[in-house]
mmCIF file of all heavy atoms in Angstrom:
data_model
loop_
_atom_site.group_PDB
_atom_site.id
_atom_site.type_symbol
_atom_site.label_atom_id
_atom_site.label_comp_id
_atom_site.label_asym_id
_atom_site.label_seq_id
_atom_site.Cartn_x
_atom_site.Cartn_y
_atom_site.Cartn_z
ATOM 1 N N GLY K 1 0.794 -1.219 0.000
ATOM 2 C CA GLY K 1 0.000 0.000 0.000
ATOM 3 C C GLY K 1 0.827 1.271 0.000
ATOM 4 O O GLY K 1 0.285 2.366 -0.169
ATOM 5 N N GLY K 2 2.119 1.139 0.185
ATOM 6 C CA GLY K 2 3.002 2.298 0.248
ATOM 7 C C GLY K 2 3.429 2.810 -1.113
ATOM 8 O O GLY K 2 3.018 2.287 -2.158
ATOM 9 N N SER K 3 4.268 3.847 -1.072
ATOM 10 C CA SER K 3 4.751 4.488 -2.292
ATOM 11 C C SER K 3 6.270 4.550 -2.296
ATOM 12 O O SER K 3 6.911 4.533 -1.239
ATOM 13 C CB SER K 3 4.195 5.917 -2.394
ATOM 14 O OG SER K 3 2.793 5.914 -2.490
ATOM 15 N N LEU K 4 6.806 4.658 -3.503
ATOM 16 C CA LEU K 4 8.247 4.757 -3.677
ATOM 17 C C LEU K 4 8.497 5.479 -4.989
ATOM 18 O O LEU K 4 7.719 5.317 -5.954
ATOM 19 C CB LEU K 4 8.873 3.355 -3.720
ATOM 20 C CG LEU K 4 10.288 3.130 -3.234
ATOM 21 C CD1 LEU K 4 10.447 3.539 -1.776
ATOM 22 C CD2 LEU K 4 10.658 1.661 -3.402
ATOM 23 N N ARG K 5 9.558 6.260 -5.044
ATOM 24 C CA ARG K 5 9.929 6.912 -6.300
ATOM 25 C C ARG K 5 11.360 6.544 -6.654
ATOM 26 O O ARG K 5 12.287 6.787 -5.881
ATOM 27 C CB ARG K 5 9.802 8.433 -6.199
ATOM 28 C CG ARG K 5 9.999 9.123 -7.548
ATOM 29 C CD ARG K 5 9.828 10.627 -7.477
ATOM 30 N NE ARG K 5 11.032 11.297 -6.982
ATOM 31 C CZ ARG K 5 11.314 12.574 -7.192
ATOM 32 N NH1 ARG K 5 10.462 13.329 -7.877
ATOM 33 N NH2 ARG K 5 12.402 13.105 -6.690
ATOM 34 N N LEU K 6 11.512 5.983 -7.824
ATOM 35 C CA LEU K 6 12.833 5.685 -8.362
ATOM 36 C C LEU K 6 13.274 6.835 -9.262
ATOM 37 O O LEU K 6 12.443 7.457 -9.938
ATOM 38 C CB LEU K 6 12.816 4.391 -9.167
ATOM 39 C CG LEU K 6 12.353 3.126 -8.438
ATOM 40 C CD1 LEU K 6 12.412 1.935 -9.395
ATOM 41 C CD2 LEU K 6 13.179 2.871 -7.216
ATOM 42 N N SER K 7 14.574 7.082 -9.263
ATOM 43 C CA SER K 7 15.156 8.099 -10.142
ATOM 44 C C SER K 7 16.246 7.455 -10.997
ATOM 45 O O SER K 7 16.927 6.530 -10.548
ATOM 46 C CB SER K 7 15.771 9.234 -9.329
ATOM 47 O OG SER K 7 14.819 9.886 -8.526
ATOM 48 N N CYS K 8 16.392 7.963 -12.189
ATOM 49 C CA CYS K 8 17.455 7.507 -13.094
ATOM 50 C C CYS K 8 18.058 8.748 -13.732
ATOM 51 O O CYS K 8 17.415 9.399 -14.570
ATOM 52 C CB CYS K 8 16.906 6.561 -14.138
ATOM 53 S SG CYS K 8 18.110 6.047 -15.381
ATOM 54 N N ALA K 9 19.276 9.072 -13.315
ATOM 55 C CA ALA K 9 19.972 10.251 -13.828
ATOM 56 C C ALA K 9 20.937 9.824 -14.922
ATOM 57 O O ALA K 9 21.791 8.962 -14.702
ATOM 58 C CB ALA K 9 20.722 10.942 -12.701
ATOM 59 N N ALA K 10 20.786 10.427 -16.087
ATOM 60 C CA ALA K 10 21.598 10.059 -17.244
ATOM 61 C C ALA K 10 22.657 11.119 -17.520
ATOM 62 O O ALA K 10 22.444 12.314 -17.304
ATOM 63 C CB ALA K 10 20.709 9.879 -18.477
ATOM 64 N N SER K 11 23.802 10.655 -18.006
ATOM 65 C CA SER K 11 24.844 11.563 -18.456
ATOM 66 C C SER K 11 25.501 10.972 -19.688
ATOM 67 O O SER K 11 25.466 9.754 -19.895
ATOM 68 C CB SER K 11 25.877 11.810 -17.359
ATOM 69 O OG SER K 11 26.479 10.598 -16.955
ATOM 70 N N GLY K 12 26.068 11.842 -20.517
ATOM 71 C CA GLY K 12 26.764 11.370 -21.702
ATOM 72 C C GLY K 12 25.894 11.144 -22.920
ATOM 73 O O GLY K 12 26.381 10.633 -23.942
ATOM 74 N N ILE K 13 24.616 11.480 -22.819
ATOM 75 C CA ILE K 13 23.707 11.361 -23.965
ATOM 76 C C ILE K 13 22.888 12.644 -24.087
ATOM 77 O O ILE K 13 22.713 13.357 -23.100
ATOM 78 C CB ILE K 13 22.737 10.160 -23.830
ATOM 79 C CG1 ILE K 13 21.863 10.321 -22.576
ATOM 80 C CG2 ILE K 13 23.491 8.840 -23.825
ATOM 81 C CD1 ILE K 13 20.688 9.364 -22.529
ATOM 82 N N PRO K 14 22.357 12.922 -25.280
ATOM 83 C CA PRO K 14 21.403 14.038 -25.413
ATOM 84 C C PRO K 14 20.044 13.579 -24.898
ATOM 85 O O PRO K 14 19.169 13.159 -25.658
ATOM 86 C CB PRO K 14 21.381 14.299 -26.916
ATOM 87 C CG PRO K 14 21.746 12.987 -27.539
ATOM 88 C CD PRO K 14 22.668 12.304 -26.586
ATOM 89 N N PHE K 15 19.864 13.674 -23.610
ATOM 90 C CA PHE K 15 18.755 13.026 -22.909
ATOM 91 C C PHE K 15 17.394 13.366 -23.515
ATOM 92 O O PHE K 15 16.538 12.505 -23.633
ATOM 93 C CB PHE K 15 18.788 13.467 -21.447
ATOM 94 C CG PHE K 15 17.706 12.874 -20.593
ATOM 95 C CD1 PHE K 15 17.843 11.610 -20.050
ATOM 96 C CD2 PHE K 15 16.545 13.601 -20.326
ATOM 97 C CE1 PHE K 15 16.845 11.071 -19.254
ATOM 98 C CE2 PHE K 15 15.533 13.062 -19.539
ATOM 99 C CZ PHE K 15 15.690 11.793 -19.003
ATOM 100 N N SER K 16 17.182 14.601 -23.893
ATOM 101 C CA SER K 16 15.842 15.040 -24.296
ATOM 102 C C SER K 16 15.329 14.332 -25.535
ATOM 103 O O SER K 16 14.115 14.300 -25.762
ATOM 104 C CB SER K 16 15.821 16.555 -24.508
ATOM 105 O OG SER K 16 16.659 16.907 -25.589
ATOM 106 N N ILE K 17 16.210 13.758 -26.350
ATOM 107 C CA ILE K 17 15.749 13.097 -27.578
ATOM 108 C C ILE K 17 15.659 11.587 -27.417
ATOM 109 O O ILE K 17 15.336 10.877 -28.367
ATOM 110 C CB ILE K 17 16.628 13.451 -28.793
ATOM 111 C CG1 ILE K 17 18.058 12.913 -28.625
ATOM 112 C CG2 ILE K 17 16.628 14.947 -29.050
ATOM 113 C CD1 ILE K 17 18.901 13.077 -29.889
ATOM 114 N N TYR K 18 15.932 11.095 -26.215
ATOM 115 C CA TYR K 18 15.863 9.662 -25.955
ATOM 116 C C TYR K 18 14.492 9.262 -25.419
ATOM 117 O O TYR K 18 13.891 9.993 -24.616
ATOM 118 C CB TYR K 18 16.926 9.260 -24.932
ATOM 119 C CG TYR K 18 18.232 8.844 -25.541
ATOM 120 C CD1 TYR K 18 18.993 9.754 -26.280
ATOM 121 C CD2 TYR K 18 18.715 7.551 -25.396
ATOM 122 C CE1 TYR K 18 20.194 9.368 -26.858
ATOM 123 C CE2 TYR K 18 19.918 7.160 -25.967
ATOM 124 C CZ TYR K 18 20.651 8.074 -26.698
ATOM 125 O OH TYR K 18 21.835 7.696 -27.265
ATOM 126 N N THR K 19 14.024 8.104 -25.863
ATOM 127 C CA THR K 19 12.894 7.454 -25.210
ATOM 128 C C THR K 19 13.427 6.760 -23.961
ATOM 129 O O THR K 19 14.420 6.041 -24.022
ATOM 130 C CB THR K 19 12.244 6.422 -26.144
ATOM 131 O OG1 THR K 19 11.597 7.104 -27.216
ATOM 132 C CG2 THR K 19 11.217 5.578 -25.408
ATOM 133 N N MET K 20 12.765 6.996 -22.840
ATOM 134 C CA MET K 20 13.200 6.428 -21.574
ATOM 135 C C MET K 20 12.172 5.420 -21.082
ATOM 136 O O MET K 20 10.970 5.515 -21.401
ATOM 137 C CB MET K 20 13.388 7.534 -20.539
ATOM 138 C CG MET K 20 14.400 8.593 -20.917
ATOM 139 S SD MET K 20 16.059 7.911 -21.193
ATOM 140 C CE MET K 20 16.432 7.297 -19.548
ATOM 141 N N GLY K 21 12.627 4.467 -20.293
ATOM 142 C CA GLY K 21 11.695 3.470 -19.789
ATOM 143 C C GLY K 21 12.211 2.806 -18.530
ATOM 144 O O GLY K 21 13.364 3.000 -18.131
ATOM 145 N N TRP K 22 11.326 2.049 -17.924
ATOM 146 C CA TRP K 22 11.663 1.227 -16.762
ATOM 147 C C TRP K 22 11.185 -0.202 -17.020
ATOM 148 O O TRP K 22 10.053 -0.416 -17.449
ATOM 149 C CB TRP K 22 10.979 1.762 -15.501
ATOM 150 C CG TRP K 22 11.523 3.057 -15.001
ATOM 151 C CD1 TRP K 22 11.090 4.313 -15.342
ATOM 152 C CD2 TRP K 22 12.599 3.233 -14.074
ATOM 153 N NE1 TRP K 22 11.836 5.257 -14.672
ATOM 154 C CE2 TRP K 22 12.762 4.628 -13.894
ATOM 155 C CE3 TRP K 22 13.428 2.370 -13.380
ATOM 156 C CZ2 TRP K 22 13.743 5.163 -13.041
ATOM 157 C CZ3 TRP K 22 14.395 2.900 -12.546
ATOM 158 C CH2 TRP K 22 14.549 4.281 -12.372
ATOM 159 N N TYR K 23 12.087 -1.142 -16.762
ATOM 160 C CA TYR K 23 11.773 -2.555 -16.783
ATOM 161 C C TYR K 23 11.933 -3.092 -15.362
ATOM 162 O O TYR K 23 12.568 -2.462 -14.514
ATOM 163 C CB TYR K 23 12.721 -3.324 -17.707
ATOM 164 C CG TYR K 23 12.398 -3.232 -19.166
ATOM 165 C CD1 TYR K 23 12.601 -2.059 -19.882
ATOM 166 C CD2 TYR K 23 11.905 -4.335 -19.863
ATOM 167 C CE1 TYR K 23 12.304 -1.975 -21.241
ATOM 168 C CE2 TYR K 23 11.614 -4.271 -21.218
ATOM 169 C CZ TYR K 23 11.824 -3.089 -21.898
ATOM 170 O OH TYR K 23 11.525 -3.020 -23.236
ATOM 171 N N ARG K 24 11.385 -4.260 -15.123
ATOM 172 C CA ARG K 24 11.620 -4.924 -13.843
ATOM 173 C C ARG K 24 11.774 -6.430 -14.065
ATOM 174 O O ARG K 24 11.253 -6.977 -15.038
ATOM 175 C CB ARG K 24 10.490 -4.650 -12.856
ATOM 176 C CG ARG K 24 9.141 -5.266 -13.220
ATOM 177 C CD ARG K 24 8.075 -4.807 -12.240
ATOM 178 N NE ARG K 24 6.776 -5.382 -12.554
ATOM 179 C CZ ARG K 24 5.654 -5.049 -11.923
ATOM 180 N NH1 ARG K 24 5.681 -4.150 -10.933
ATOM 181 N NH2 ARG K 24 4.497 -5.613 -12.265
ATOM 182 N N GLN K 25 12.495 -7.040 -13.138
ATOM 183 C CA GLN K 25 12.696 -8.476 -13.196
ATOM 184 C C GLN K 25 12.559 -9.054 -11.793
ATOM 185 O O GLN K 25 13.348 -8.726 -10.903
ATOM 186 C CB GLN K 25 14.057 -8.827 -13.784
ATOM 187 C CG GLN K 25 14.248 -10.310 -14.028
ATOM 188 C CD GLN K 25 15.432 -10.608 -14.926
ATOM 189 O OE1 GLN K 25 16.333 -9.787 -15.096
ATOM 190 N NE2 GLN K 25 15.428 -11.784 -15.527
ATOM 191 N N ALA K 26 11.536 -9.874 -11.633
ATOM 192 C CA ALA K 26 11.306 -10.554 -10.363
ATOM 193 C C ALA K 26 12.052 -11.882 -10.381
ATOM 194 O O ALA K 26 12.343 -12.428 -11.453
ATOM 195 C CB ALA K 26 9.814 -10.781 -10.148
ATOM 196 N N PRO K 27 12.358 -12.437 -9.221
ATOM 197 C CA PRO K 27 13.079 -13.721 -9.162
ATOM 198 C C PRO K 27 12.351 -14.800 -9.950
ATOM 199 O O PRO K 27 11.146 -15.001 -9.790
ATOM 200 C CB PRO K 27 13.096 -14.040 -7.664
ATOM 201 C CG PRO K 27 12.988 -12.718 -6.988
ATOM 202 C CD PRO K 27 12.107 -11.886 -7.875
ATOM 203 N N GLY K 28 13.096 -15.475 -10.827
ATOM 204 C CA GLY K 28 12.527 -16.562 -11.601
ATOM 205 C C GLY K 28 11.654 -16.144 -12.757
ATOM 206 O O GLY K 28 11.044 -16.989 -13.413
ATOM 207 N N LYS K 29 11.585 -14.837 -13.032
ATOM 208 C CA LYS K 29 10.728 -14.342 -14.112
ATOM 209 C C LYS K 29 11.552 -13.569 -15.138
ATOM 210 O O LYS K 29 12.657 -13.125 -14.863
ATOM 211 C CB LYS K 29 9.615 -13.457 -13.555
ATOM 212 C CG LYS K 29 8.634 -14.196 -12.669
ATOM 213 C CD LYS K 29 7.456 -13.314 -12.320
ATOM 214 C CE LYS K 29 6.417 -14.071 -11.514
ATOM 215 N NZ LYS K 29 5.242 -13.226 -11.170
ATOM 216 N N GLN K 30 10.964 -13.398 -16.306
ATOM 217 C CA GLN K 30 11.620 -12.616 -17.347
ATOM 218 C C GLN K 30 11.504 -11.128 -17.046
ATOM 219 O O GLN K 30 10.573 -10.686 -16.371
ATOM 220 C CB GLN K 30 10.982 -12.917 -18.705
ATOM 221 C CG GLN K 30 11.306 -14.303 -19.249
ATOM 222 C CD GLN K 30 10.838 -14.476 -20.683
ATOM 223 O OE1 GLN K 30 9.853 -13.856 -21.097
ATOM 224 N NE2 GLN K 30 11.541 -15.292 -21.437
ATOM 225 N N ARG K 31 12.451 -10.388 -17.569
ATOM 226 C CA ARG K 31 12.386 -8.936 -17.448
ATOM 227 C C ARG K 31 11.192 -8.432 -18.256
ATOM 228 O O ARG K 31 10.962 -8.861 -19.392
ATOM 229 C CB ARG K 31 13.686 -8.311 -17.973
ATOM 230 C CG ARG K 31 13.862 -6.858 -17.622
ATOM 231 C CD ARG K 31 15.240 -6.341 -18.010
ATOM 232 N NE ARG K 31 16.296 -6.980 -17.238
ATOM 233 C CZ ARG K 31 17.556 -6.550 -17.232
ATOM 234 N NH1 ARG K 31 17.897 -5.488 -17.953
ATOM 235 N NH2 ARG K 31 18.466 -7.177 -16.527
ATOM 236 N N GLU K 32 10.433 -7.503 -17.666
ATOM 237 C CA GLU K 32 9.242 -7.005 -18.345
ATOM 238 C C GLU K 32 9.216 -5.480 -18.307
ATOM 239 O O GLU K 32 9.721 -4.850 -17.365
ATOM 240 C CB GLU K 32 7.970 -7.539 -17.673
ATOM 241 C CG GLU K 32 7.793 -7.127 -16.228
ATOM 242 C CD GLU K 32 6.469 -7.570 -15.622
ATOM 243 O OE1 GLU K 32 5.651 -8.192 -16.331
ATOM 244 O OE2 GLU K 32 6.246 -7.282 -14.439
ATOM 245 N N LEU K 33 8.598 -4.915 -19.336
ATOM 246 C CA LEU K 33 8.454 -3.461 -19.402
ATOM 247 C C LEU K 33 7.403 -3.008 -18.393
ATOM 248 O O LEU K 33 6.299 -3.546 -18.336
ATOM 249 C CB LEU K 33 8.028 -3.039 -20.811
ATOM 250 C CG LEU K 33 7.751 -1.553 -20.999
ATOM 251 C CD1 LEU K 33 9.032 -0.734 -20.862
ATOM 252 C CD2 LEU K 33 7.108 -1.303 -22.363
ATOM 253 N N VAL K 34 7.744 -2.000 -17.616
ATOM 254 C CA VAL K 34 6.803 -1.401 -16.674
ATOM 255 C C VAL K 34 6.167 -0.148 -17.282
ATOM 256 O O VAL K 34 4.949 0.012 -17.276
ATOM 257 C CB VAL K 34 7.510 -1.031 -15.350
ATOM 258 C CG1 VAL K 34 6.539 -0.363 -14.385
ATOM 259 C CG2 VAL K 34 8.140 -2.265 -14.724
ATOM 260 N N ALA K 35 7.007 0.729 -17.796
ATOM 261 C CA ALA K 35 6.515 1.995 -18.346
ATOM 262 C C ALA K 35 7.567 2.584 -19.258
ATOM 263 O O ALA K 35 8.761 2.313 -19.111
ATOM 264 C CB ALA K 35 6.192 2.978 -17.221
ATOM 265 N N GLY K 36 7.110 3.390 -20.214
ATOM 266 C CA GLY K 36 8.023 4.086 -21.111
ATOM 267 C C GLY K 36 7.496 5.478 -21.386
ATOM 268 O O GLY K 36 6.293 5.744 -21.249
ATOM 269 N N ILE K 37 8.395 6.375 -21.770
ATOM 270 C CA ILE K 37 7.988 7.733 -22.127
ATOM 271 C C ILE K 37 8.856 8.204 -23.283
ATOM 272 O O ILE K 37 10.083 8.104 -23.242
ATOM 273 C CB ILE K 37 8.062 8.687 -20.914
ATOM 274 C CG1 ILE K 37 7.531 10.078 -21.292
ATOM 275 C CG2 ILE K 37 9.464 8.755 -20.327
ATOM 276 C CD1 ILE K 37 7.255 10.960 -20.085
ATOM 277 N N THR K 38 8.215 8.712 -24.312
ATOM 278 C CA THR K 38 8.943 9.156 -25.498
ATOM 279 C C THR K 38 9.576 10.519 -25.267
ATOM 280 O O THR K 38 9.341 11.177 -24.245
ATOM 281 C CB THR K 38 8.002 9.227 -26.707
ATOM 282 O OG1 THR K 38 7.021 10.254 -26.456
ATOM 283 C CG2 THR K 38 7.312 7.901 -26.952
ATOM 284 N N SER K 39 10.349 10.952 -26.237
ATOM 285 C CA SER K 39 11.017 12.250 -26.133
ATOM 286 C C SER K 39 10.010 13.399 -26.095
ATOM 287 O O SER K 39 10.305 14.456 -25.544
ATOM 288 C CB SER K 39 11.989 12.446 -27.292
ATOM 289 O OG SER K 39 11.305 12.345 -28.533
ATOM 290 N N ASN K 40 8.821 13.186 -26.661
ATOM 291 C CA ASN K 40 7.820 14.254 -26.611
ATOM 292 C C ASN K 40 6.770 14.024 -25.530
ATOM 293 O O ASN K 40 5.694 14.619 -25.554
ATOM 294 C CB ASN K 40 7.153 14.452 -27.975
ATOM 295 C CG ASN K 40 6.537 13.187 -28.514
ATOM 296 O OD1 ASN K 40 6.518 12.174 -27.834
ATOM 297 N ND2 ASN K 40 6.040 13.249 -29.734
ATOM 298 N N GLY K 41 7.099 13.137 -24.565
ATOM 299 C CA GLY K 41 6.293 13.024 -23.362
ATOM 300 C C GLY K 41 5.116 12.074 -23.404
ATOM 301 O O GLY K 41 4.277 12.089 -22.501
ATOM 302 N N ILE K 42 5.041 11.233 -24.421
ATOM 303 C CA ILE K 42 3.948 10.265 -24.487
ATOM 304 C C ILE K 42 4.340 9.033 -23.680
ATOM 305 O O ILE K 42 5.380 8.412 -23.953
ATOM 306 C CB ILE K 42 3.625 9.883 -25.937
ATOM 307 C CG1 ILE K 42 3.152 11.118 -26.692
ATOM 308 C CG2 ILE K 42 2.566 8.790 -25.972
ATOM 309 C CD1 ILE K 42 2.968 10.896 -28.179
ATOM 310 N N ALA K 43 3.503 8.684 -22.707
ATOM 311 C CA ALA K 43 3.806 7.575 -21.809
ATOM 312 C C ALA K 43 2.942 6.356 -22.117
ATOM 313 O O ALA K 43 1.813 6.493 -22.603
ATOM 314 C CB ALA K 43 3.591 8.000 -20.357
#
């Protein structure tokens, strides 16, 4: 029921033109996409 915020700080790339995303991998499971956001803010 709680909340948490993850951060990912990037360097060495032109960040604003990159599509960014988060994946997760639970024990014994495949890595899966959680969320993505394009360079123009579409999630």
Side-chain angles (χ1 to χ4, degrees):
S3 297
L4 210 59
R5 188 178 81 159
L6 302 180
S7 299
C8 175
S11 59
I13 61 167
F15 180 83
S16 65
I17 65 172
Y18 269 63
T19 291
M20 301 301 296
W22 290 91
Y23 281 72
R24 67 186 180 186
Q25 187 165 20
K29 295 188 176 181
Q30 289 189 330
R31 193 173 294 191
E32 61 175 359
L33 176 67
V34 178
I37 184 166
T38 65
S39 58
N40 56 5
I42 297 173

